[in-house]
Amino acid sequence: MHINVIGAGLAGCEAAMQIASRKINVHLYEMKPKKRTAAHHTDMFAELVCSNSFKAMRVESAAGLLKEEMRRLDSFLMKYADTCKVPAGGALAVDRDIFSLSVTQAIKSNSYIQVLNEEVSEIPEGEITIIASGPLTSDSLAESIVKRFGSSLSFFDAAAPIVTADSIDMDNAFFASRYDKGDSDDYINCPMNKEEYELFYNALISAQRAPLHDCDVSNPKVYEGCMPVEVMAQRGEGTLRFGPMKPVGLINPKTGHRPWAVLQLRKENTAGATYNLVGFQTNLKFSEQKRVFSLIPALHNAEFVRYGVMHRNTFLNSPQILNSDFSVRDNKNLFFAGQITGVEGYMESAASGIIAAINACRLAMDKPSVTLPNDTMIGALSWYISNPGVDKFQPMGANFGILPELENRPRDKRERGMAYSSRALESLDRFICENVAGGLVCEL
């Protein structure tokens, strides 16, 4: 007996390792290295095509709660993320190459997992299968999915540029974390005064954008969480100063004052040889990225090792197709996981891989499926993607707004976040104890 997993991204790798931990064989299909999408740069599994950040670590934050729930469910990717982290203030960021290499080696060395470097173009029939082909699902498989379910949706996603550390002008930059969270060298901050910012802003909103070729883009949907910086800037001159370039919580030690605007740079790898431009996802032409971003004083001689890109992300109309256990409503053998289901974010994708894998295994063992309580973050996301009542379905990341309201809702934001998280973790612990003898999560 085996279970098929299609796609070796974060959701597929998490699912494959979860299944293997239950001593069930896995056929893991991955089309790399024979074929890549435009957004992929390596042949490794669990490749991070956008940011290297997994968002906030604080358990009283929605993103932090999600990661803590994953840890309690024995997430394999969380273990690798924790061992590959780089300084990022209050966020969990990883060395993307070490992270992907660690996951790839673990997958390939697992005796229960057989890796098949093949492109899957048709939905398998008659076998238990998890499709975790991601938001960049190959055209042939995407066509098969559309043919099978009659609809699919898509939006556009973007990635930020990466520069070398040696090319950053530190005479015009300083090390600091916002509000002094984390180590002092977590971020390189590139300050700008009012005149420098206005020059940069005007160049940004008038810069030429790269064409989008992979579908009809006459009026493309752009996911709010990864909106290109040039699109955000067009909302008004102050938008960036209240967004990715906000100066609050930062004092330039060279002047003793808060800058007018600040671009933060975050480490891409443990050695600190490269940094990415935080919040600067973009679809500008490469030459325009070099010209415009070099107007930031600290980046006037920046060497770009990767320019920002924009690509199509495809997802299902999941509320009409999926159950809360990530199975297809009219085919109990077929599951979906990852961003193709409409969960948005690296860890959200991996979390869906956990639930899909648990239920695929339970199906193989002739056990009923399980869904986490909806007052947990993972349970709420499972509910969101499977609720037929969700109107105008769009990708959703972890946030407290999808959790049931608190009975006694604190007015303080941090206290409110802690109340949501405490309730969720207590609920998850009860669920684990009630469903698993001895609390062994891997037996779920």
Side-chain angles (χ1 to χ4, degrees):
M1 180 182 68
H2 71 271
I3 294 174
N4 299 319
V5 176
I6 300 173
L10 275 76
C13 288
E14 183 71 67
M17 293 294 280
Q18 290 287 338
I19 296 167
S21 73
R22 291 161 174 81
K23 297 180 169 40
I24 297 175
N25 292 319
V26 180
H27 288 181
L28 176 61
Y29 291 86
E30 171 53 53
M31 66 183 187
K32 294 192 298 184
K34 294 181 180 179
K35 183 177 181 179
R36 289 188 196 171
T37 71
H40 290 101
H41 298 273
T42 77
D43 294 331
M44 292 188 289
F45 302 160
E47 181 178 353
L48 306 181
V49 299
C50 294
S51 170
N52 68 326
S53 173
F54 294 153
K55 302 180 183 176
M57 288 191 291
R58 295 180 296 106
V59 73
E60 64 268 24
S61 69
L65 170 60
L66 175 71
K67 288 189 280 291
E68 179 58 27
E69 290 180 4
M70 292 172 66
R71 289 188 179 97
R72 297 189 186 196
L73 291 170
D74 277 353
S75 166
F76 290 90
L77 292 191
M78 280 307 308
K79 294 173 184 176
Y80 296 121
D82 287 334
T83 60
C84 300
K85 63 185 177 183
V86 297
L92 173 60
V94 299
D95 183 313
R96 70 173 73 224
D97 292 330
I98 295 177
F99 174 77
S100 294
L101 179 60
S102 299
V103 174
T104 302
Q105 290 175 338
I107 292 280
K108 290 186 173 180
S109 63
N110 192 301
S111 61
Y112 285 97
I113 302 175
Q114 179 183 358
V115 176
L116 302 166
N117 293 118
E118 303 173 14
E119 179 183 1
V120 176
S121 58
E122 296 287 340
I123 297 176
E125 298 290 343
E127 297 180 343
I128 301 177
T129 299
I130 299 174
I131 297 179
S133 50
L136 295 168
T137 295
S138 68
D139 291 342
S140 57
L141 181 56
E143 289 174 6
S144 178
I145 292 171
V146 171
K147 182 179 179 180
R148 168 68 176 77
F149 297 108
S151 67
S152 70
L153 306 171
S154 66
F155 67 101
F156 281 84
D157 203 352
I162 298 173
V163 299
T164 63
D166 291 343
S167 68
I168 301 167
D169 183 359
M170 292 306 300
D171 288 338
N172 287 297
F174 61 94
F175 287 101
S177 294
R178 203 180 302 277
Y179 298 110
D180 294 323
K181 292 180 180 178
D183 297 329
S184 61
D185 63 348
D186 285 5
Y187 291 89
I188 293 178
N189 297 273
C190 306
M192 305 173 75
N193 60 33
K194 188 173 186 291
E195 293 72 25
E196 291 164 343
Y197 174 78
E198 290 176 348
L199 176 66
F200 162 76
Y201 172 79
N202 289 317
L204 178 63
I205 60 173
S206 61
Q208 289 184 301
R209 303 180 191 180
L212 297 170
H213 299 293
D214 44 1
C215 70
D216 178 12
V217 293
S218 57
N219 186 26
K221 297 178 182 178
V222 179
Y223 176 60
E224 194 79 15
C226 285
M227 178 170 291
V229 64
E230 63 272 12
V231 175
M232 188 185 306
Q234 288 187 322
R235 295 179 170 179
E237 187 175 306
T239 306
L240 299 183
R241 293 186 61 246
F242 289 91
M245 300 189 76
K246 62 184 178 184
V248 294
L250 293 167
I251 299 296
N252 187 343
K254 297 171 183 177
T255 65
H257 300 291
R258 189 176 79 177
W260 182 256
V262 174
L263 167 64
Q264 289 196 305
L265 309 178
R266 181 179 55 232
K267 283 183 180 180
E268 271 290 309
N269 51 38
T270 306
T274 56
Y275 280 75
N276 72 66
L277 281 60
V278 178
F280 264 45
Q281 300 87 355
T282 182
N283 187 47
L284 295 182
K285 290 183 175 181
F286 290 176
S287 59
E288 291 287 80
Q289 292 183 44
K290 173 68 174 174
R291 179 182 69 85
V292 174
F293 297 151
S294 293
L295 292 173
I296 299 171
L299 300 183
H300 65 98
N301 287 323
E303 177 185 351
F304 290 78
V305 296
R306 190 187 80 181
Y307 287 104
V309 294
M310 192 170 178
H311 52 82
R312 186 196 74 228
N313 276 1
T314 301
F315 60 98
L316 298 170
N317 189 3
S318 294
Q320 307 303 319
I321 297 170
L322 300 182
N323 297 308
S324 59
D325 62 0
F326 290 89
S327 67
V328 172
R329 289 179 182 169
D330 62 358
N331 184 348
K332 67 177 183 179
N333 290 324
L334 182 61
F335 296 79
F336 282 86
Q339 286 191 209
I340 195 170
T341 68
V343 296
E344 172 56 34
Y346 289 139
M347 291 294 96
E348 288 86 344
S349 296
S352 71
I354 296 174
I355 304 304
I358 287 172
N359 286 304
C361 291
R362 292 180 69 85
L363 177 62
M365 296 182 286
D366 199 27
K367 294 182 178 181
S369 66
V370 295
T371 303
L372 300 190
N374 69 350
D375 56 2
T376 66
M377 189 58 68
I378 297 176
L381 285 168
S382 302
W383 175 87
Y384 173 79
I385 62 96
S386 62
N387 179 12
V390 173
D391 188 33
K392 297 180 181 179
F393 182 66
Q394 286 292 309
M396 181 69 71
N399 70 91
F400 289 131
I402 61 174
L403 296 179
E405 187 56 85
L406 295 164
E407 289 187 11
N408 298 302
R409 188 173 185 267
R411 302 183 70 175
D412 179 78
K413 183 178 180 180
R414 185 176 287 267
E415 290 181 4
R416 188 162 62 245
M418 183 56 73
Y420 275 120
S421 295
S422 296
R423 183 184 67 178
L425 295 176
E426 289 173 4
S427 180
L428 178 61
D429 287 344
R430 283 196 303 272
F431 177 85
I432 291 173
C433 290
E434 290 169 0
N435 287 272
V436 182
L440 298 176
V441 174
C442 66
E443 293 183 3
L444 266 177

